[in-house]
Amino acid sequence: MAATFTLAWPLVIAQLAQTALTTTDVIMLGWLGPQALAAGTLATTFLMPFMVGAVGIVGAVAPLAAQARGARNIKAVRRIVRQGFWAAILLATLLIPILLQIRTIFGWLGQDPTNARLAEEYIHVGVWMLYPALMAVALRSLLSAFDSTRAILVITVSGVFFNAALNYVLIFGNYGFPRLELRGAALATMITSFIMFAMMLGFVLRHRRFKRFNILLRFWKPDWARFREIFRIGTPIGLTVLAEVGLFTAAALLMGLLGTDEVAAHAVALQCASMAFMVPLGLGIAATVRVGLAYGRGDVDGITKAGWTGFALGTAFMLLSCIVFLLFAPNIVTIFLSPSDPANANALALAATFLVIAGVFQLVDGAQVVAAHALRGLSDTKIPMLLAIFGYWAVGLPVAYVLGFVLEWRGVGIWIGLAAGLAFVAVVLVARFAMRERLGLLDGLPR
């Protein structure tokens, strides 16, 4: 538990800081009004499935680097990170042309034309963050695999301050800057992404522990075996995360059919739930590294302890966040929308209700993310992907649609559907980790 906590706490705070980047955007766009908040939410909700899917693929660097370290195969580390860069550049290049079609796609999906036009303004600027953001994932994975998580923390927290300052001047036109509103928020995020990547790359190139890897040495030299391995392990990870985020994207689009207030309320509740989710996500990343290290050195007992310790810590925190959401939901949502403005009254009431439901599914949300990450440490990603896709899309989305539109529970029904999908995935993934030996997941363990 001490080893897991030492590795995890900087990752937890860094994940919270990463979400704070988006939270800053949400808060400041909320100051512009529900219209800007709804449009910004639709834009980022459209971007996120592509972004996190790609992050999942590049994130395969973490378990692969951890396993290489556990096996003392240090020469493999540079090649893994270099091919992680290659994967990041390829994915960004493929995704950007798709994302630039947001207005056309939103038209097909029946979204409000004004919201679609404003969302397009955000995406056309913010989409270029994909290159630095995805390449930074490869560097974060390297640092995590070698327990250097405090560097991730410092750089990410610095990024929060950069982003907040840039938002303040670019969204509202302060200190002589042009008032760019949604485009200003996107520009701030893009610039911050480049700054954070530059800081992380500089750290890895200059720190004595990582200089020996020479990660940019013969950068253009291919290592097709490692490249394929990243996609073999990472594609199921990316699709798993994509299935979950896609479920929330679908929920946002369903909210868009109900009205602007529902979208704004959904944005507020989802942002709060995402902040809480970052803690078990950080613990899950630590579980991936700890399980991967144990797997690399052939330590069956270490795998058991690493996995269940991460699960216990994640579940304990989510119990706490569940209590906070249940008790203080009406107070929390006023951070995002001013209660003094009568135009916000309906959105505030809806957001408080959605947040109460989010509190209920905190426990299963934490359980499923830690279990998924523990399995990734064993390079077990394909079956968990299939289970997650089924749970989110064959359980969660149908329940959300039936409750929200057939039974006319509207936004409340949609959020209950989200909870149902997460609960299913939590049960099956925790069971899979518990049955890992019986299922043959340790058959490739070094002896």
Side-chain angles (χ1 to χ4, degrees), residues 118 121-122 125-126 170-171 179-188:
L118 292 172
E121 291 183 9
Y122 184 99
V125 177
L170 294 176
I171 293 177
R179 182 183 174 94
L180 299 178
E181 298 191 349
L182 276 165
R183 282 178 295 172
L187 183 60

Side-chain angles (χ1 to χ4, degrees), residues 279-280 283 308-319 362-363 366-367 370:
V279 177
L283 289 163
W308 289 121
T309 298
F311 178 80
L313 290 171
T315 304
F317 175 82
M318 290 308 252
L319 176 61
Q362 289 294 290
L363 290 173
V370 176

Side-chain angles (χ1 to χ4, degrees), residues 247 250-251 254 257 395-410 413-418:
L247 173 65
L254 290 176
L257 300 177
V395 178
L397 188 61
V399 171
Y401 182 81
V402 170
L403 295 181
F405 292 89
V406 177
L407 298 183
E408 298 184 353
W409 291 10
R410 297 178 65 83
I414 293 172
W415 271 81
I416 292 174
L418 297 177

